[in-house]
Amino acid sequence: MIGRTLSSFFWGLVADRYGRKPVIVFALFSVVILNTLFGLSTKFLMAFITRFLLGVLNGLLAPMKAYCIEVCRAEHHALGLSIVHTAWAMGLVIGPALGGYLAQPATKYPDSFSKLSALGRFPYLLPSLAVSLFAAVVLVVCIWLPETIHLHNCYKRKVTLDKATESNPNCADTTENKRLINNWPWISATISFSIFALHDTAYGEIISLWAVSGRRYGGLSFSSEDIGNVLAVAGASLLVCQLFFYQWVDKTLGTVYSSRFAAALSTVIVATTPFMTYLSGFKLSLAIYPALMIKNILSTTVGTGLSLLQNNAVPQKQRGAANGISTTAMSFFKAVAPIGAGALFSWAQKHADNIFVSGDQVVFLILNLILFLGVLSTFEPFLVIPAKPEHLF
């Protein structure tokens, strides 16, 4: 995340100047090489360097957001960005599961893998190879990926603004060549997006630690398999909801209202979560599974909506840079959040027996305060709506 924080804006500029496809292809190539090297790491320094370089060289997210806006018609922008955010969220579920099943294969599956083999000497190579192989397949598929930056490039055509707007809505704001630093609709959406990125990452860090911690600490005493099953179900429900229902929700409520409603409803789930420690058995399952499923869906709804606002607030020739800056801010908070969340959870473990408010309740209270700031940022005057807002409400 630190590496991506340092480089995302650069890759956004490259995507604006040379096209989306070259950046996407190079990012996938870096995943194939560096992820394999990470699996071959035998020392911490090598693992650290390969992960850092993977972040620096992987400028995939910013051009992909711009790409999905440009490859879809206006009425399908919500679905396009929803798929991008769903893919990211699914990766966060599938990735740890893949690592859990494939790491240390010589120990887990001694009949199939020898300890003297390469997979025995490099116990984390197999999951890394699986990810690299998947990235290599996607890299080959990119041969047929069309470039989009020239398809809607109205700036070099000798046409009137009215004609350009009529033939291509993406070019409707060509006269608004604002510098990004003066584009308040984009800045306000990016700030809101960063707040929710901070919350979501901290929440994801804490919820797993809290679930596996003991009852005396206010946790659920789950095993790693239990929390894996919960996350897997939550990921599957997220995929179904985002692919089949999000576009309808966005069209019915509008981008701003759907994001605001999802964020507000999330505060209820976060506030009630620590009290699940008093449940057990079937009642606990009946509470924790729907709670995490709904929370994942709501978080992705908010992220997708704010990404739509960001992309609607900038012209096409600034879209790569705008998404690059947004990804930089998001990566910074995603790098900071686990550190803060870990320290906060550690404090909670030491104050589990407070008389008035237990440590875990304080943790979720702070998470809710961050979420409340996020909800507040979706209201005017904190959120400035870009021009032509009729499809955003």
Side-chain angles (χ1 to χ4, degrees):
M1 288 299 174
I2 294 174
R4 202 169 68 171
T5 300
L6 298 175
S7 66
S8 291
F9 178 53
F10 167 77
W11 289 118
L13 291 176
V14 172
D16 280 339
R17 185 173 182 84
Y18 299 104
R20 319 302 187 202
K21 184 174 179 178
V23 178
I24 293 171
V25 168
F26 182 81
L28 289 168
F29 180 76
S30 71
V31 171
V32 173
I33 301 301
L34 291 168
N35 206 63
T36 302
L37 291 176
F38 175 73
L40 292 170
S41 300
T42 55
K43 295 185 178 180
F44 174 75
L45 182 61
M46 181 178 176
F48 181 89
I49 291 174
T50 53
R51 293 300 292 176
F52 176 74
L53 289 177
L54 186 58
V56 170
L57 300 178
N58 190 350
L60 187 63
L61 189 57
M64 278 308 304
K65 287 184 178 181
Y67 189 93
C68 80
I69 287 290
E70 292 157 1
V71 81
C72 295
R73 294 189 308 196
E75 62 267 29
H76 299 309
H77 284 176
L79 178 62
L81 277 175
S82 173
I83 290 174
V84 172
H85 283 269
T86 301
W88 174 270
M90 288 295 294
L92 295 179
V93 174
I94 295 173
L98 197 65
Y101 284 120
L102 300 183
Q104 300 176 311
T107 302
K108 294 180 179 177
Y109 316 108
D111 295 336
S112 303
F113 301 96
S114 169
K115 290 187 177 181
L116 300 177
S117 66
L119 295 179
R121 288 183 288 117
F122 301 101
Y124 302 100
L125 178 60
L126 185 58
S128 298
L129 282 178
V131 174
S132 296
L133 179 62
F134 181 74
V137 172
V138 179
L139 183 60
V140 173
V141 173
C142 280
I143 295 174
W144 295 277
L145 191 71
E147 179 58 69
T148 60
I149 197 169
H150 67 283
L151 296 180
H152 308 298
N153 191 357
C154 300
Y155 311 108
K156 296 181 181 179
R157 297 177 191 169
K158 294 181 180 179
V159 293
T160 63
L161 178 61
D162 291 340
K163 187 175 180 181
T165 303
E166 182 180 334
S167 61
N168 179 15
N170 281 315
C171 299
D173 50 0
T174 53
T175 58
E176 298 183 15
N177 189 21
K178 295 180 181 178
R179 294 176 59 190
L180 287 175
I181 196 172
N182 296 326
N183 190 331
W184 286 107
W186 172 77
I187 290 175
S188 63
T190 300
I191 291 174
S192 184
F193 184 75
S194 299
I195 294 173
F196 283 107
L198 175 66
H199 166 79
D200 290 343
T201 307
Y203 177 84
E205 182 82 7
I206 284 174
I207 197 69
S208 296
L209 294 173
W210 171 75
V212 299
S213 64
R215 293 276 182 170
R216 65 180 297 265
Y217 295 108
L220 301 180
S221 296
F222 274 14
S223 67
S224 57
E225 291 182 354
D226 291 332
I227 191 63
N229 291 335
V230 173
L231 291 176
V233 172
S237 63
L238 173 66
L239 178 64
V240 173
C241 183
Q242 290 298 110
L243 289 181
F244 297 103
F245 296 106
Y246 176 75
Q247 191 176 17
W248 175 81
V249 171
D250 181 80
K251 189 175 294 185
T252 303
L253 298 179
T255 302
V256 175
Y257 287 146
S258 61
S259 300
R260 190 179 294 162
F261 176 77
L265 187 57
S266 294
T267 62
V268 178
I269 295 176
V270 174
T272 56
T273 297
F275 298 101
M276 293 181 188
T277 189
Y278 301 112
L279 303 176
S280 60
F282 179 71
K283 291 182 179 179
L284 177 58
S285 299
L286 199 61
I288 190 67
Y289 276 88
L292 287 186
M293 286 165 54
I294 296 172
K295 179 63 174 66
N296 277 1
I297 292 169
L298 295 176
S299 295
T300 307
T301 298
V302 174
T304 303
L306 292 173
S307 292
L308 273 170
L309 291 177
Q310 292 174 38
N311 282 277
N312 278 323
V314 295
Q316 188 201 27
K317 66 178 182 180
Q318 292 181 337
R319 199 167 282 148
N323 281 295
I325 295 174
S326 172
T327 303
T328 297
M330 180 187 70
S331 300
F332 172 77
F333 283 110
K334 283 183 176 288
V336 171
I339 301 172
L344 181 62
F345 187 79
S346 178
W347 175 89
Q349 296 283 283
K350 298 174 184 177
H351 297 80
D353 299 322
N354 283 357
I355 297 177
F356 297 105
V357 182
S358 63
D360 63 303
Q361 292 175 351
V362 173
V363 169
F364 285 97
L365 175 62
I366 293 176
L367 284 176
N368 235 354
L369 287 176
I370 298 172
L371 190 54
F372 177 75
L373 288 176
V375 174
L376 198 63
S377 70
T378 64
F379 287 87
E380 296 183 80
F382 305 105
L383 183 66
V384 181
I385 308 301
K388 291 186 286 188
E390 60 272 5
H391 66 289
L392 302 177
F393 289 95

